[in-house]
Structures are given as C-alpha cells and as structure tokens.
Amino acid sequence: MIEFPTVLDDLMMAQQPILKRTKEIFGYELLFRGKDALNANISDGEAATSQVLVNLCIGITKLESQLRKPFFINMTTDLMLSDAFFPIDPDTVYIEILENQRLTPEFFTALQKWRSAGYRFALDDYQFDADYQALLPWVSIVKIDVLITPPEQHAIQIAELKSRGLILLAEKVEDLAMFELCKSLGFDLFQGYFLQRPELIKGKKIDSATHGAIELVNALQNRDISIEAIADLVTKNPKLSYQLLRILNSPVCGVAKTVVSIKEAVIFLGLVQLKKWALLITLTSSTNQPSSLLKVLLTRGRCCQLLAESKKSAMADSAFMVGLMSGIDAVFNVKKSVVLEQIALDKNALDAIINQAGELGAYLKQTLYCEEQDWNRIQKMGPGERTILNRAFLDAMLWSEEVMQSIN
C-alpha cells in the first residue's frame, strides 16, 4: 500500500467523482471527517484550524501528484480567514463556499486574498437565495442540489446563471432521467450515484458481444483451467491481447521484465494474477460504459483486496473479484441476478455480491461505506479499522487511476 503520513490516520477521506456531460471525469470532491465522531464541523481555535489544514494539505498533495484532476474541498470560515495557504497548484483546486456562509467584510477580504493567490471558488448547495447573489461574482462554479432544489422549477434562474458565464454543477443526480433533465437545462457538470445505477430494461437480453465476453469471464473462473487454455482464449481476441500486453508492460503490474507474448506473460505472472487482469480487460473491452464507471469499480475491487490483505486473508484475490463484479449490472445494463447466473462464481463470492454476506461481504460493505460516504456506519468501526479502511481506499483510488491510464 502507498505510504501516507500518519497524520492521515486521524482523518477519514472519501472522494466522489464529478463528471462532464460525456460522463468522463472532470474532478473529485474530497470529503473529510475527523476521528471525533467523524464530525465535519471544525472547532474554533488556531490549533484546530492548523491541524485540519495540515491534514488537508498532506492528503491533497499526495493525491494531486498522481491523479492530476481538479479537487473540490469545503472550507470552514476559520480556514478562509486564516493566514495559511495550500502548498499545491491553485489550478488543481476549487474551494467550496457553503451557501450559509456569513457574508462579512472580513470574509470578502479573505476571498480577495485567496483569489489573488490564484485559487478558484465554487458556491455549494445554492438555492437561489437573493442574499447570496453577492457571492456570484467571486465563484466559477455553482453547485445545485437537485433533490432539494428541483431544477425544473428554476429554469429561468438557471438560464440567468448560464448567461453570466458560470459553470453549473448538478449534485445528488440519482438516476439517468435526472441526468438527462439537467443536461437539457444547461448543467455542465454532474455528481451523484446515477453512474453506478444502470438503466435496466425489463427482459433485456445480453447481446452477442457481451455474451462472448461473459463466456471468457466464466472460463477464467474455472480453477482447473490450464495456462495454455487461458493463453489461447486471450490470443483469440486481438483487442484483449493488445491491452493485456500493454498493462503487463506498465509499472502498475510490477513486472520486472518486458513480456513479448501472452503465453510468456501467463507463465511469468502465474494463473491467479492473469485471471484478474484478463477479467478486468475483458470488462473494459466489452462495454460502452464510460471509463469513469470502470474506475469506480476498480477502486472498489482494489479496496476490497487491500482490506483482505490487511487481515492476511487467503481470500484477497476473491475479494478483488467481488468488488469488481459487484457493479457488473451497471457495466452491462442487465439485472445483476441475470448476469451473475452466467458466471461461475463460487457460493461465497455470490453471497458477498448479492447479500454482502460472509468475510468477502464484510470487505465489500466497508468499501461501500467509504464510497458512499456513510459516516454513521464508519463511526461505529474501531479506530484501527477506520485507519485501515482510509488507507486502503486512498491507495485504491491511486491504483485505479494508474490502471485506467495503462489500458486507455
């Protein structure tokens, strides 16, 4: 796992992708909670402010160096009014201002200071309150929670914001219908769980291309399959062969030598590792879903695997499989039970995916707590478990980014 400074042990961090209209990733919102009841509120005082600032800077700097995406972070009034600055490139950060911010002369002075240093601002949870119009000239992005502020009821105000050259971000987009509505109203960026929730069509059949991919996935689950058989299966798919060799030759895989053939790669890596990578590339090669969804599932699978490894479990590779396959319904837009019927997963893996049961299910549940920012459940975990989960999730984020760069 990546070595993060120990100061991060006292902080839980989660991330949620922010997507463009094409569903490609624009950036991430980083969500932080302290160890004391995992509360987002920061107590007054220079000591608390300084500690939070150190935590934020260490965490973001580590991620910035590897992800190269804009980050959105909430700023408390204390941090805004402090003399400290983030030691990172302003071009990679949007500072979120909460709509309930007290608009004092001191606050606007702080805004000017941060802007002079090159930082950009997003107005969070905007509800078209006239009192906060004074903030609009200072921000680049306006975030609107579409659950509490239905966008169809504010079409005129949304058009006015667009006419001012502001970028509009729709938060809490939970399904495809809301995504399409927000696009039609002129929103530019989107945040929510709609990407992980497939548009299921009752009675939909799996098309032939997808079926072929599932057949390969199914074959890879056979514990008795030979190295020669896997090499033969892979080489029959030119696109799969090319992508597999690319990823095996990349730093992500940790191979110390260059491989020149599929069979050599199989022999050198061993069957277990090749099964994992071939499964991953099969999924990426056989879906029209955006890469942002695959990155979410990669992060999920890797986090499950790292949690298993932290317990020295013999089921670490199965944990990766469970995390990755837990979103297979979203990949293929087919009901989960339908697609899983066609894949030879063992009972433990199926129970983990469908019911979040058993040891594998426990790893999946913890990963989803972090992915979905379920702070109440995270709070019930012991301090040691929270630290392991935090580091596993951060490491999984960085790992999945490297994988996607290797296979795209």
Side-chain angles (χ1 to χ4, degrees), residues 210-222 233 275 278-280 282-283 286 321 325 328 332 342-345:
T210 300
H211 191 269
I214 290 176
E215 281 187 332
L216 179 53
V217 171
N218 198 25
L220 291 169
Q221 306 315 304
N222 182 353
L233 283 170
K275 280 184 178 182
L279 168 63
L280 163 63
T282 298
L283 293 179
S286 307
M321 179 77 67
M325 301 298 280
I328 195 162
F332 292 131
Q342 303 183 48
I343 298 176
L345 294 174

Side-chain angles (χ1 to χ4, degrees), residues 17 38 64 86 133 173 233 250 277 280 304 388:
L38 299 179
E64 177 207 11
F86 291 143
Q133 293 252 335
V173 180
L233 283 170
S250 78
W277 290 112
L280 163 63
C304 288
I388 291 170

Side-chain angles (χ1 to χ4, degrees), residues 59-293:
I60 294 174
T61 302
K62 190 72 178 182
L63 295 171
E64 177 207 11
S65 66
Q66 301 207 28
L67 295 184
R68 301 296 180 188
K69 302 283 186 184
F71 295 99
F72 290 66
I73 59 168
N74 290 134
M75 288 283 282
T76 64
T77 300
D78 281 349
L79 287 178
M80 287 293 296
L81 298 180
S82 74
D83 291 329
F85 284 96
F86 291 143
I88 55 179
D89 186 347
D91 289 339
T92 62
V93 176
Y94 284 93
I95 296 172
E96 293 194 13
I97 304 171
L98 301 180
E99 197 194 28
N100 60 6
Q101 171 67 50
R102 290 183 60 234
L103 303 182
T104 63
E106 293 79 12
F107 181 75
F108 282 104
T109 298
L111 277 179
Q112 180 62 59
K113 181 186 70 172
W114 285 85
R115 175 180 272 187
S116 296
Y119 290 90
R120 299 168 294 179
F121 301 97
L123 179 55
D124 192 28
D125 199 17
Y126 185 55
Q127 299 178 43
F128 304 101
D129 189 325
D131 291 342
Y132 292 90
Q133 293 252 335
L135 281 174
L136 295 180
W138 294 89
V139 303
S140 305
I141 296 176
V142 174
K143 301 179 71 174
I144 297 172
D145 183 329
V146 297
L147 288 184
I148 62 175
T149 310
E152 68 275 13
Q153 298 177 16
H154 299 277
I156 294 176
Q157 294 101 313
I158 288 171
E160 289 173 352
L161 292 175
K162 290 287 292 183
S163 70
R164 299 178 68 147
L166 292 165
I167 298 169
L168 300 187
L169 190 159
E171 292 185 280
K172 304 288 180 64
V173 180
E174 300 296 305
D175 55 43
L176 187 63
M178 179 59 76
F179 174 66
E180 294 296 341
L181 172 63
C182 291
K183 277 207 305 184
S184 70
L185 290 172
F187 282 85
D188 309 282
L189 301 172
F190 308 85
Q191 189 173 358
Y193 295 127
F194 72 101
L195 192 68
Q196 291 107 300
R197 295 180 181 175
E199 182 189 20
L200 299 179
I201 303 172
K202 187 175 181 180
K204 178 181 176 180
K205 295 181 178 179
I206 299 174
D207 60 40
S208 57
T210 300
H211 191 269
I214 290 176
E215 281 187 332
L216 179 53
V217 171
N218 198 25
L220 291 169
Q221 306 315 304
N222 182 353
R223 294 180 181 179
D224 298 323
I225 196 168
S226 67
I227 288 176
E228 289 76 14
I230 285 191
D232 186 55
L233 283 170
V234 173
T235 53
K236 287 179 179 177
N237 185 329
K239 184 177 180 182
L240 176 61
S241 300
Y242 172 73
Q243 288 186 302
L244 182 60
L245 287 175
R246 280 192 62 188
I247 199 167
L248 293 178
N249 286 333
S250 78
V252 163
C253 211
V255 177
K257 66 185 286 289
T258 299
V259 292
V260 296
S261 71
I262 295 296
K263 187 170 183 179
E264 181 182 354
V266 173
I267 294 170
F268 189 76
L269 278 179
L271 204 55
V272 172
Q273 285 298 312
L274 189 69
K275 280 184 178 182
K276 181 177 74 174
W277 290 112
L279 168 63
L280 163 63
I281 297 172
T282 298
L283 293 179
T284 62
S285 301
S286 307
T287 175
N288 293 321
Q289 295 289 0
S291 60
S292 45
L293 171 60

